[in-house]
Amino acid sequence: MEASSSSTKRKPTAIITIGMAGAGKSTFVQRINSYLHSLDPPSPPYILNLDPAVTHVPFEANIDIRDTVNYAEVMKQYNLGPNGGILTALNLFTTKFDQVLGLVEKRAAEVDYVILDTPGQIEIFTWSASGAIITDAVASSMPTVVAYIIDTPRTTAPATFMSNMLYACSILYKTKLPFILVFNKTDVQPHDFALEWMQDFEEFQAALASHSSSRDSEGEPTYMNSLMNSMSLVLDEFYKNLKAVGVSSMTGDGIKEFFEAVEASREEYEKDYLPELERARAQREKTLQDAKDDSMDRLMKDLEIDRAKNPQGALNDRWDPDEENDEDDDDDTDINIVDRSEHPWPGQYIDVTRARRHEDEGINWPRPG
Ligand SMILES: Nc1nc2c(ncn2[C@@H]2O[C@H](COP(=O)(O)OP(=O)(O)OP(=O)(O)O)[C@@H](O)[C@H]2O)c(=O)[nH]1
């Protein structure tokens, strides 16, 4: 870990923590926060709390969505339920996210890590436009890593494990960012079983087969069982793109290994994500330029057709710099420009923004009904 005071200070690494409700995100953020404070020299991170509904966070956030948006007030004002309230609060906050990034960038020279704690309801961040905007904005301005927090004791059943991995897979493909699976609560349940299932799909299939509801009344594998067997083959490829660490946010076990995974992910960001980001940016600019060139081409072609159809008109249409100084031409009667400042009701042009009744108007405006 480099010193913050270095003159060639590299950009901080952003860690976006995502996880199902109760997986331990806030406890995890607090644990990595205290770990960074305990380093020699200390490396206090910059923390953003994006959960508007949380009543208590165990850390001091540098930016807290609750200071900007009152979630309870949003629910009342927009007549929303809890999830709609959280989503709307996040949407409102996202409209100010450029200011948030500005503040983060101001502190970039002093911090090595920017940590984002996301709303407890995972889908509010992972499947909303504002979640995507925040993720993209952060990932475009500094190396960014997603830490997907898993409640290990609640993931020991093969079906739950598979659902959790599929969810992680969907986030990975949506963000396309370096991804760390963080098996939390290893003080209660070690995560070895998960690593075995990820490294060897036959182990997972064996666990699935031994699970009580894996066969129907006729002794045949159930539909779910067959599906999960096939999915384990599909996910095998996905696991190769992931780093997995086991931690206990309670005891601090595995946090050092987590930061090693963050460091490796940062390199991955620079090697894979950044070139892709720059390619996408260049592509976007090229598409815009192509659209402009295309419009210009079409305009020039239209002009050429006009000239071909009406060569005399085209000749008259030429710009003659001598004419510009000819004061008399300003009164050209062919040009129908009305100076509305002199005539309140010029011609048939009616400006509704200036509408006012006039004595000699003499017009019976149609009235509704
Ligand atoms: N034993 C153990 N319990 C943990 C650990 N991490 C978190 N917990 C407990 O898990 C529960 C949920 O933790 P939170 O940090 O509130 O989880 P969260 O994901 O932020 O939950 P939301 O508030 O729904 O977003 C709490 O009771 C924590 O004390 C851990 O490593 N070990």
Side-chain angles (χ1 to χ4, degrees), residues 20-27 120 184-185 187-188 248-250:
M20 303 281 178
K25 287 181 297 298
S26 305
T27 318
N184 191 27
K185 310 191 186 180
D187 54 303
V188 178
S248 164
S249 304
M250 212 57 123

Side-chain angles (χ1 to χ4, degrees), residues 298-367:
R298 275 187 286 138
L299 175 70
M300 297 312 280
K301 271 188 198 133
D302 285 354
L303 286 174
E304 266 165 34
I305 292 168
D306 276 359
R307 280 199 195 116
K309 275 190 190 155
N310 183 4
Q312 195 52 43
L315 281 178
N316 294 341
D317 212 16
R318 298 264 149 130
W319 174 61
D320 180 354
D322 294 339
E323 278 181 17
E324 198 174 282
N325 299 326
D326 192 346
E327 299 274 319
D328 294 346
D329 278 352
D330 285 352
D331 297 332
D332 192 340
T333 46
D334 287 341
I335 301 172
N336 192 20
I337 295 178
V338 178
D339 181 353
R340 286 186 285 126
S341 60
E342 286 183 8
H343 304 284
W345 306 106
Q348 295 186 341
Y349 184 89
I350 297 158
D351 181 354
V352 287
T353 63
R354 290 158 56 101
R356 57 196 148 111
R357 294 195 81 77
H358 196 267
E359 275 111 37
D360 53 19
E361 181 182 346
I363 300 170
N364 285 323
W365 296 103
R367 305 257 173 230

Side-chain angles (χ1 to χ4, degrees), residues 13-17 25-26 29 33 45-52 54 57 59-67 90 93 96-97 99-105 107 111 113-119 125 134-135 137-138 142:
T13 309
I15 303 171
I16 303 180
T17 57
K25 287 181 297 298
S26 305
V29 169
N33 180 27
Y46 197 81
I47 306 182
L48 274 67
N49 171 41
L50 300 179
D51 188 350
V54 70
V57 278
F59 48 82
E60 191 68 43
N62 296 78
I63 297 178
D64 196 322
I65 186 172
R66 294 173 303 168
D67 296 334
L90 191 66
F93 185 72
K96 305 262 177 210
F97 205 73
Q99 288 179 33
V100 175
L101 271 187
L103 290 169
V104 174
E105 272 160 15
R107 293 285 304 279
V111 297
Y113 296 97
V114 175
I115 301 168
L116 287 82
D117 190 10
T118 57
F125 191 79
I134 291 175
T135 307
V138 173
M142 68 194 86

